[in-house]
Amino acid sequence: MGDAERNIVEVVRADINLTQLKRNMDFIRKSLKPGVKLMTVVKGDSYGHGLIPISRAVEAWGSDCLGVVRLTEAASLREAGIKLPIVMLAPLMPAQAEAAINLDISPMLDNDIMAAELDKYAGIKGKKVNVHIKINTGLNRYGILPEAALDFILSIKDKYKNLYVEGIYTHFRDPELNRDFTEGQIKSFRDVLSKLSEAGVCPPVAHSSASGGILMYPEAQFDMVRVGILLYGLEYVTGRKLLPQSLQPVISIKSNVIKIREIKEGEHGGYGDKFIAHRDSRLAIIAAGYGDGISRGWKEVLIGGRRAPIVNYSMDGIVADITGLQESIREYDEVVLAGRQGDESISWDEVCRGINVEVDEQLQRITKRVPKNYYYEF
Ligand SMILES: *Cc1c(COP(=O)(O)O)cnc(C)c1O
C-alpha cells in the first residue's frame, strides 16, 4: 500500500510540487526547436521524486517517452498501467531479453548477442521490438564506435527481422565543463548520421542531449532530448549556475521540531561530545536523521523563517542550536531541511556543497521511510 492510501502523517517528509514540475516541463519544451521530442528520464525513482507519480504526470502532459535503466523500473511502470514508450538507456543481458519483450520496452543496443536474443523472443511473441543504437563518442561506457555504426545497422536490418531500429543516440561525457570535448562528440555523432543517411539507413529518432546538452548545445537537439535533472529544477556541477531562473526545484524536505530543550553551559546536546554548549543554550530536536537521508554535512535548517545550525546528528534526530532565534519557536513548528520557508531558503546546491556530493546522488540518499507528499499550487 502506498503512503497516500495509508493516510499516515509522517514528521519528516518530501513535499513535491507538481505545479512547478509542469512549469519546468513547459519551459524546457519551449526552449526546444519545433518538433523535437521529449524523453523524460525517470530512473532512480524519478531522481528521488517518485517513479509512478512523476511518470503519470509527464505522460498526461505529453512527454513522448520515458527513459529508465533497470528492468525493475520498466516493470513498475507497466504494472502501474503506464502506456508510454519506455526506452531502456542501459544495456540488458541476454537473460533479460524475454522480459524486455514482454514489457514492450525499447532497449538500447550495442552488440550482436543482444540483438539475436531480442530478435528471438520478439519472434516467439510475434512482436516487433524498437531498438535504439548507442554510439560511443567518448564517454566509454556503452555503445559501438562511430566507425562501426554503418555495418552494425546494416547487419541488424539484414539478420534480425523482428527488430526495428527506431533510434540512434550518444551521451556526453562532460557537457557543462568541457565545450571542446563535447563539440567533438557532437561532430562525431553528426558524421555517423550523415554516413547512415547517405546509405539510406538513418534511424528516424537521433538523440544526444541530456540536461547539460539541453542547456548548452542547442545545435545538438536532433530529433529528441533526454531530460533528467533539469526537469526537477536542479543542475549538476554544484555552483555552475547555468540553470535559468524559470526552472525551480520541485522537491523540498520538511520536518518538525519534536522537542525543545534548554541546557546549561557545559552540558551536552545529543550523542558523544559532538556538541557541548559553550553558553546556556536552547536546542531544537528535529525528527530527521541519516535514517531519512539527512547526513552529517547538512549544515543548517530553517525554523521560524530563520537559519539554525545543526550541531549533532543521529539516525532519527538532529539537534539544531536555536539560541538567540525567536522565543516564539515552539515544539511541533515546521522545519525546512531543503526548500523555502518565509523569505529564507536552503537550496539543494547549498546542501550538496556541505556534503560534497552531486545532487542526483544526494536525492538517492533520501530513504524510503520519508513519504512523498504531492501537491499542486492553487
Ligand atoms: C541519466 C541519463 C540521462 C539524463 O541525464 P540528466 O543529465 O540528468 O538529464 C540521459 N541519458 C542517459 C543515457 C542517461 O543515462
Side-chain angles (χ1 to χ4, degrees):
M1 198 176 340
D3 295 312
E5 298 93 89
R6 286 147 87 197
N7 205 16
I8 292 172
V9 176
E10 189 51 273
V11 227
V12 58
R13 61 207 181 266
D15 281 354
I16 295 175
N17 184 343
L18 293 172
T19 306
Q20 188 57 49
L21 185 76
K22 174 79 161 64
R23 278 192 212 115
N24 291 350
M25 186 163 164
D26 290 346
F27 180 85
I28 292 163
R29 257 206 194 290
K30 277 202 203 99
S31 72
L32 301 176
K33 292 173 186 149
V36 173
K37 290 181 156 74
L38 192 68
M39 174 195 296
T40 307
V41 180
V42 293
K43 64 188 179 189
D45 199 29
S46 293
Y47 291 63
H49 294 64
L51 177 66
I52 302 304
I54 300 297
S55 300
R56 284 209 175 111
V58 300
E59 180 175 47
W61 301 335
S63 177
D64 294 285
C65 59
L66 300 172
V68 300
V69 293
R70 295 286 183 264
L71 223 39
T72 48
E73 295 174 329
S76 299
L77 290 168
R78 291 297 183 233
E79 281 159 18
I82 288 167
K83 300 282 193 295
L84 276 181
I86 298 173
V87 180
M88 175 64 61
L89 293 167
L92 294 170
M93 325 193 282
Q96 297 175 297
E98 184 173 10
I101 301 299
N102 287 338
L103 291 167
D104 283 318
I105 60 176
S106 311
M108 70 87 94
L109 192 61
D110 69 355
N111 71 67
D112 191 74
I113 295 176
M114 271 314 293
E117 289 293 318
L118 290 166
D119 183 70
K120 178 173 105 190
Y121 285 104
I124 292 170
K125 307 277 171 178
K127 292 180 176 179
K128 264 221 163 204
V129 54
N130 294 334
V131 296
H132 287 234
I133 309 293
K134 175 115 192 218
I135 309 296
N136 173 22
T137 55
L139 179 61
N140 293 332
R141 292 193 315 188
Y142 325 125
I144 54 172
L145 290 174
E147 51 271 27
L150 179 58
D151 284 350
F152 185 62
I153 289 184
L154 289 174
S155 91
I156 299 270
K157 283 187 182 282
D158 179 49
K159 289 199 286 191
Y160 304 121
K161 299 301 175 200
N162 303 309
L163 304 189
Y164 171 67
V165 185
E166 174 183 64
I168 180 160
Y169 75 110
T170 192
H171 197 37
F172 300 144
R173 182 178 66 81
D174 194 11
E176 290 93 348
L177 296 179
N178 196 330
R179 176 165 284 275
D180 284 353
F181 192 89
T182 309
E183 283 173 350
Q185 289 191 275
I186 296 168
K187 178 171 186 315
S188 130
F189 187 56
R190 209 180 278 289
D191 289 348
V192 169
L193 298 182
S194 310
K195 225 158 117 188
L196 297 178
S197 292
E198 274 166 36
V201 294
C202 195
V205 187
H207 45 113
S208 67
S209 284
S211 293
I214 296 170
L215 283 174
M216 295 185 60
Y217 307 88
E219 72 276 22
Q221 292 173 2
F222 298 100
D223 304 298
M224 181 163 76
V225 296
R226 308 183 299 268
V227 64
I229 200 75
L230 209 57
L231 182 70
Y232 309 100
L234 299 166
E235 68 180 334
Y236 303 121
V237 194
T238 350
R240 187 65 206 263
K241 298 276 187 283
L242 289 168
L243 212 60
Q245 207 33 66
S246 311
L247 295 177
Q248 292 290 327
V250 167
I251 185 168
S252 310
I253 307 291
K254 295 184 181 159
S255 186
N256 293 82
V257 175
I258 218 68
K259 183 67 86 185
I260 290 184
R261 216 167 254 300
E262 318 274 348
I263 63 169
K264 298 266 177 261
E265 182 184 342
E267 290 186 332
H268 293 76
Y271 288 123
D273 284 341
K274 288 257 166 21
F275 181 74
I276 305 170
H278 61 87
R279 57 181 176 187
D280 291 356
S281 299
R282 193 161 180 248
L283 304 180
I285 318 302
I286 298 155
Y290 44 80
D292 308 292
I294 311 302
S295 49
R296 283 171 214 286
W298 206 298
K299 294 199 166 58
E300 292 185 318
V301 297
L302 303 178
I303 311 179
R306 303 261 308 275
R307 286 171 176 266
I310 304 174
V311 296
N312 209 344
Y313 302 81
S314 68
M315 192 185 290
D316 313 311
I318 53 179
V319 180
D321 185 353
I322 57 169
T323 318
L325 289 192
Q326 303 96 303
E327 284 301 312
S328 58
I329 293 172
R330 291 283 172 271
E331 286 175 352
Y332 313 124
D333 280 0
E334 182 196 79
V335 174
V336 170
L337 291 129
R340 174 165 290 282
Q341 193 183 56
D343 296 330
E344 263 291 0
S345 68
I346 292 179
S347 68
W348 284 98
D349 184 76
E350 173 186 338
V351 168
C352 293
R353 279 166 188 271
I355 301 167
N356 193 22
V357 71
E358 283 277 18
V359 66
D360 59 334
E361 186 173 346
Q362 180 53 39
L363 287 170
Q364 296 300 309
R365 295 178 179 182
I366 302 298
T367 60
K368 262 223 204 65
R369 77 181 190 190
V370 179
K372 298 180 187 78
N373 172 30
Y374 296 89
Y375 69 101
Y376 287 93
E377 288 172 10
F378 52 87

